[in-house]
Amino acid sequence: MYTDFDENIKPEYIILSDLKNYNLDYHDEYYYYTDIAYEREQKNPNKPKEEIKLEIAKEVKNEMNLYQKQSAKYFQIDKQKNKELEQIFNREKVKLNFNSVPKVLSNGKIYTYEFKCFTLYNNKLNKELEIKFEEKIISVDELDNKDLVLLIEKQYENEIIIFRLKNGKYSLFQKIDEYRYGYKTQMRYSGCQQYIKEYRCKKINAISGNRFICISNYGFKMYALDEKKEYSVVLLKTYDETITKIYELDKDNFIFFSTISYDHVMGSPAHNVLILDKIKIIEKNGENNNKIENEKDNNNNNNNNNNNNISDSFFELLLDCGMEFNKDDFNNNNNDNINNDDDDFDLKKKKKEIENLNKYKCEHNKFFEFSKYNTSHYFRGDVLFKDKYLIVGIEHYILLFDISSGKLLKRYVLLYPGEENFYKQKVNIYEWNKNKNEFIADIKGNIYIFKLNDDNELKIIAHSYFKEIKDLEKIGNKFYQFNSKRAPKNSKYYYIKELYIYY
């Protein structure tokens, strides 16, 4: 049930003794004395507890001294690199105020959504688009061709709305009803009861080639332009994990970051599971089209064009495409397994949709899974170097993976030394200089530049402290920070959202 790191990959400790403005928190202690003492007492029931306690304290102190000495090899500070940090973070480039939380698209454009009004700002921070929406906007992204894709939450289903930029102005291009069609019914559980899981979309993720992926609690769908130059589904895949991020390696290969959360169930404590899954998209080279044509020929020969019952050959095609239907469900127009609020289910129409659906198939290789008893962990950034090595931050760990094999190569543990214990450092990592294999790690305003050398070893080459920095986010080639402050007394708002942009 719980999956730890590969035991063959021994931890390497980096001791950060120069942290500024750091407060010790016993929740972040690295050595849990009570757990160690309990194990010792079970093995040595006749030994006095005070003696066991002194032994543990001495062992911990020796390990702390050892790790601090060994940690020195990871520090190769370059004064010039420190100047690089200060040039970026010591001066504010842009400061903006918003009445709602501003969000940033993958291309750096900023948008807000307040009082049912969506506003998009261009890179010069001028209003580019303003639209009134009665429904809630869940997610927004922009494609390579500048098409703007919005995911809208409606009462019983979701909707995708696409705006096209032409002659400097956006206009409505397409609306798509995004519903559960194509997925087998999934269940959710509460205690001993089970219920049909309500289909809900969570995020739009733009990818290359004017495509986008719609992530839902059932799986994901990939949309692309069809022969009519409109967007339609070309891949549908059931995916049980909750996808939190999609990293595009190239147009056919992706890494899915997933987090599955579990509540207290049947005495098991709440915890989560982190997963890295390598996804490969493969075009089927017309094999489905041939099957569709054969199905049409069979229907013509058997005079079944007016029969809404699905034939065996077409049912096999659905399964081959990844459409998870039961045949009886498909033949029953009123069955919930295929029909969400659609009383006029038209099999011919669905067959036409199948002609464009699943032109691709999907292979996946789960290469990392991590969970701990009674504990939740979270992804805290990632960087890809040389199209070969992936660096991932998880709490106080920095992990180095080989992409081709999916093998974990290195596991670094970041700690801060107290008098009697180490304290775990939750670190957020961001790309810095990809051409030089450099990334930064932010710990409460303490920013370090890490470099991956030719021997696949990490070195810290710069460190500086910036008290204004609380929570960074990097999108494109810019760093962003979002703060909240009280609005002036004469304002109708309680808070104003501040956005700092560092170039």
Side-chain angles (χ1 to χ4, degrees):
M1 186 174 183
Y2 305 103
T3 307
D4 208 336
F5 294 109
D6 184 350
E7 293 182 355
N8 296 320
I9 309 300
K10 301 300 180 182
E12 300 185 37
Y13 297 92
I14 300 179
I15 312 303
L16 305 173
S17 57
D18 52 354
L19 289 178
K20 304 292 191 300
N21 195 28
Y22 179 77
N23 297 318
L24 299 180
D25 186 344
Y26 74 93
H27 291 293
D28 294 329
E29 288 181 342
Y30 187 68
Y31 295 104
Y32 295 105
Y33 282 85
T34 53
D35 292 347
I36 300 174
Y38 176 79
E39 292 179 2
R40 296 284 178 87
E41 290 168 8
Q42 297 301 307
K43 293 180 180 179
N44 304 281
N46 298 322
K47 204 168 196 178
K49 292 184 178 181
E50 191 63 30
E51 185 178 342
I52 291 176
K53 183 179 179 180
L54 291 174
E55 286 180 358
I56 295 172
K58 183 178 179 180
E59 291 173 9
V60 169
K61 194 66 176 179
N62 289 337
E63 284 196 2
M64 289 178 64
N65 292 333
L66 176 63
Y67 293 155
Q68 283 182 294
K69 290 178 181 178
Q70 293 177 342
S71 180
K73 67 179 181 180
Y74 299 110
F75 290 83
Q76 295 180 355
I77 301 298
D78 182 340
K79 292 183 179 180
Q80 188 61 37
K81 288 295 179 179
N82 275 340
K83 291 181 180 179
E84 282 188 26
L85 283 177
E86 292 164 4
Q87 286 174 354
I88 296 295
F89 296 114
N90 257 346
R91 52 184 182 180
E92 279 178 20
K93 293 294 185 180
V94 178
K95 178 182 176 182
L96 300 172
N97 290 336
F98 297 90
N99 297 320
S100 63
V101 178
K103 296 185 179 180
V104 185
L105 301 179
S106 55
N107 59 8
K109 289 184 178 180
I110 297 169
Y111 74 92
T112 59
Y113 177 67
E114 60 175 333
F115 301 117
K116 299 182 179 181
C117 180
F118 170 82
T119 306
L120 177 69
Y121 298 83
N122 60 24
N123 290 324
K124 294 182 179 179
L125 303 175
N126 297 318
K127 288 185 179 180
E128 193 170 34
L129 177 64
E130 195 170 64
I131 312 170
K132 295 289 185 180
F133 276 106
E134 291 297 322
E135 297 85 2
K136 178 182 177 182
I137 296 176
I138 304 173
S139 179
V140 183
D141 216 337
E142 189 176 72
L143 308 183
D144 294 340
N145 60 1
K146 306 302 180 184
D147 281 358
L148 190 67
V149 184
L150 286 76
L151 178 62
I152 308 297
E153 183 180 88
K154 303 178 74 174
Q155 185 174 4
Y156 296 109
E157 62 184 31
N158 300 118
E159 185 177 47
I160 296 173
I161 302 178
I162 302 169
F163 290 89
R164 177 152 289 179
L165 182 63
K166 189 174 182 180
N167 297 327
K169 293 185 177 181
Y170 282 98
S171 59
L172 178 63
F173 174 69
Q174 187 180 356
K175 287 187 176 183
I176 303 171
D177 290 330
E178 175 52 63
Y179 54 103
R180 188 167 56 84
Y181 165 67
Y183 290 109
K184 184 178 179 180
T185 301
Q186 296 181 21
M187 309 302 293
R188 64 179 179 87
Y189 300 89
S190 177
C192 298
Q193 301 295 319
Q194 64 175 5
Y195 308 89
I196 293 177
K197 186 195 295 184
E198 184 181 8
Y199 179 80
R200 283 300 177 192
C201 296
K202 296 187 173 184
K203 187 180 180 183
I204 289 292
N205 198 113
I207 58 177
S208 63
N210 301 320
R211 303 170 298 168
F212 62 90
I213 291 175
C214 181
I215 301 169
S216 73
N217 58 345
Y218 269 63
F220 65 92
K221 297 177 183 179
M222 186 171 79
Y223 284 82
L225 291 169
D226 57 23
E227 64 277 0
K228 295 181 180 179
K229 304 301 181 185
E230 295 180 343
Y231 291 95
S232 59
V233 182
V234 294
L235 173 65
L236 178 150
K237 182 68 175 178
T238 297
Y239 201 82
D240 294 333
E241 291 82 9
T242 302
I243 304 169
T244 56
K245 180 179 179 178
I246 295 177
Y247 196 114
E248 184 171 0
L249 300 173
D250 56 49
K251 68 180 185 65
D252 298 321
N253 293 280
F254 306 84
I255 295 177
F256 282 13
F257 291 68
S258 302
T259 304
I260 313 173
S261 296
Y262 295 96
D263 294 326
H264 294 274
V265 178
M266 303 296 287
S268 176
H271 67 287
N272 70 1
V273 181
L274 303 184
I275 293 174
L276 294 177
D277 197 1
K278 191 174 180 181
I279 303 294
K280 184 176 181 62
I281 306 297
I282 303 172
E283 190 169 4
K284 292 186 177 180
N285 296 322
E287 61 182 83
N288 285 335
N289 292 333
N290 293 332
K291 291 183 180 181
I292 289 172
E293 291 302 320
N294 292 335
E295 168 63 16
K296 289 180 178 178
D297 292 340
N298 290 335
N299 283 342
N300 289 332
N301 293 335
N302 295 319
N303 295 318
N304 286 332
N305 284 337
N306 295 323
N307 187 353
N308 269 353
N309 285 340
I310 186 170
S311 68
D312 290 338
S313 58
F314 193 77
F315 178 62
E316 291 174 1
L317 171 61
L318 291 175
L319 295 177
D320 185 62
C321 288
M323 305 271 299
E324 299 191 7
F325 287 119
N326 292 323
K327 183 179 178 182
D328 292 340
D329 294 340
F330 212 122
N331 288 334
N332 182 357
N333 290 353
N334 295 320
N335 193 294
D336 182 66
N337 279 342
I338 61 169
N339 188 5
N340 280 348
D341 307 304
D342 182 6
D343 295 329
D344 298 317
F345 181 77
D346 187 343
L347 181 58
K348 293 180 182 179
K349 179 181 177 182
K350 298 307 177 188
K351 286 183 178 182
K352 184 65 178 176
E353 292 181 13
I354 298 292
E355 293 183 18
N356 194 55
L357 179 61
N358 283 288
K359 292 181 178 179
Y360 300 83
K361 60 183 178 180
C362 173
E363 295 179 353
H364 65 98
N365 174 30
K366 183 166 62 176
F367 63 89
F368 175 73
E369 184 172 341
F370 177 68
S371 62
K372 283 290 190 71
Y373 178 81
N374 198 26
T375 306
S376 291
H377 294 82
Y378 301 94
F379 291 114
R380 293 182 172 273
D382 52 90
V383 184
L384 182 69
F385 289 139
K386 305 177 184 177
D387 295 326
K388 183 177 181 181
Y389 300 109
L390 177 68
I391 293 175
V392 178
I394 297 177
E395 304 305 332
H396 58 292
Y397 301 108
I398 295 180
L399 309 179
L400 174 65
F401 294 92
D402 178 83
I403 290 298
S404 59
S405 65
K407 183 180 178 182
L408 177 63
L409 301 178
K410 296 280 186 178
R411 171 162 60 108
Y412 296 93
V413 183
L414 273 59
L415 302 172
Y416 177 79
E419 291 186 6
E420 298 179 350
N421 209 330
F422 280 131
Y423 293 83
K424 295 173 284 189
Q425 295 309 303
K426 296 177 181 178
V427 57
N428 298 299
I429 68 173
Y430 313 91
E431 180 184 307
W432 182 254
N433 190 329
K434 195 169 185 176
N435 295 329
K436 294 183 178 180
N437 299 334
E438 295 172 357
F439 67 94
I440 66 170
D442 171 32
I443 303 172
K444 299 178 181 179
N446 292 271
I447 296 185
Y448 296 82
I449 298 181
F450 282 78
K451 182 179 179 67
L452 180 66
N453 65 21
D454 294 335
D455 297 325
N456 293 334
E457 293 279 356
L458 287 185
K459 302 294 181 184
I460 295 176
I461 59 175
H463 166 238
S464 192
Y465 172 66
F466 307 92
K467 64 180 181 180
E468 302 86 2
I469 292 179
K470 306 299 181 184
D471 187 16
L472 280 177
E473 183 175 351
K474 186 175 186 185
I475 301 170
N477 62 348
K478 301 175 186 176
F479 288 93
Y480 300 83
Q481 179 172 240
F482 303 92
N483 295 327
S484 180
K485 70 175 185 179
R486 288 193 175 275
K489 291 183 179 180
N490 59 348
S491 173
K492 63 180 179 179
Y493 304 102
Y494 290 105
Y495 292 94
I496 290 178
K497 304 298 180 180
E498 292 180 328
L499 172 63
Y500 297 83
I501 305 177
Y502 304 91
Y503 286 85

